[in-house]
Amino acid sequence: MRLAQLLEAAPWAETEACFRRAYCGERTPGDLTDAEFVDLHEHVYVQLLMLDPEPSDVVLDVTEVEDWPADVYGIAPGTKERLGLCLTRWEEWLGMEVAPSALERFPAPEIIAHCIWEMSFNGYEQDRIARFREDLERMADAARQGALDTEEVVLDEWMPAPDDDGADAGDGRKPDGRT
């Protein structure tokens, strides 16, 4: 079953309940209420429903881990290599096959809650995530060409400005304000 099919089978009310259990409370960023935090992730859920899935050979897996609600990652075709997906386009996420073992471990709403958490790690809008990915790619290219002294890289130079979403790169929060 592809993630898009799973999303259609997981109403927001059920997904929200799973999300609140896993990510609200002590995990809610200090500058957001639980309600605001949930609203941001519901916004992602709604956006996902409007997108067309793109075929992907990556298999999406969700596993239990100690001291965190779940680990969400991709598995590269023909390997067991785990791939970070937080910068992946959401259309590609939707086209990924969900690992049968994940479907056995978690109900659909919980898988969706964990995926939405991972998808929104670098922002709640795809264009923002794309800009962040492009900035990282430019920095990597510059470093490979020797045009970037990686010892002198200051995060403020490539992190979103504080007025983007209230996050100040110097305060230790992630680009979307999470710690």
Side-chain angles (χ1 to χ4, degrees):
M1 176 177 288
R2 301 228 176 254
L3 185 61
Q5 296 165 304
L6 201 62
L7 185 70
E8 292 172 4
W12 175 249
E14 294 174 24
T15 301
E16 177 184 357
C18 293
F19 184 86
R20 283 182 180 277
R21 276 192 306 277
Y23 298 105
C24 286
E26 67 185 48
R27 290 189 177 93
T28 302
D31 59 337
L32 294 173
T33 66
D34 283 350
E36 292 167 330
F37 194 50
V38 169
D39 286 348
L40 289 169
H41 291 85
E42 180 181 13
H43 176 72
V44 173
Y45 176 92
V46 170
Q47 290 181 73
L48 293 173
L49 292 174
M50 295 185 287
L51 298 174
D52 292 323
E54 291 180 0
S56 176
D57 293 334
V58 173
V59 174
L60 178 63
D61 203 357
V62 182
T63 58
E64 295 177 30
V65 291
E66 191 174 319
D67 298 329
W68 193 250
D71 189 16
V72 178
Y73 53 91
I75 302 171
T79 73
K80 293 183 180 183
E81 179 184 359
R82 289 182 172 201
L83 306 171
L85 299 174
C86 63
L87 295 173
T88 302
R89 293 181 61 248
W90 294 347
E91 291 89 349
E92 186 176 346
W93 273 84
L94 293 171
M96 292 179 191
E97 189 75 27
V98 179
S101 57
L103 295 168
E104 292 171 8
R105 283 189 291 271
F106 300 100
E110 191 168 351
I111 292 172
I112 297 298
H114 295 313
C115 288
I116 288 174
W117 166 265
E118 188 72 20
M119 293 167 129
S120 64
F121 188 79
N122 291 299
Y124 301 101
E125 299 287 340
Q126 281 218 86
D127 60 340
R128 173 152 187 226
I129 297 167
R131 286 193 312 272
F132 183 65
R133 181 178 51 244
E134 289 165 4
D135 288 347
L136 290 175
E137 288 169 356
R138 276 195 294 279
M139 285 183 61
D141 288 344
R144 279 191 289 274
Q145 296 170 8
L148 178 69
D149 184 352
T150 55
E151 292 181 12
E152 295 182 15
V153 171
V154 177
L155 291 181
D156 289 342
E157 293 176 7
W158 58 275
M159 294 292 281
D163 60 342
D164 280 355
D165 62 8
D168 178 358
D171 71 0
R173 290 185 284 162
K174 302 283 190 271
D176 62 3
R178 291 183 275 166
T179 54

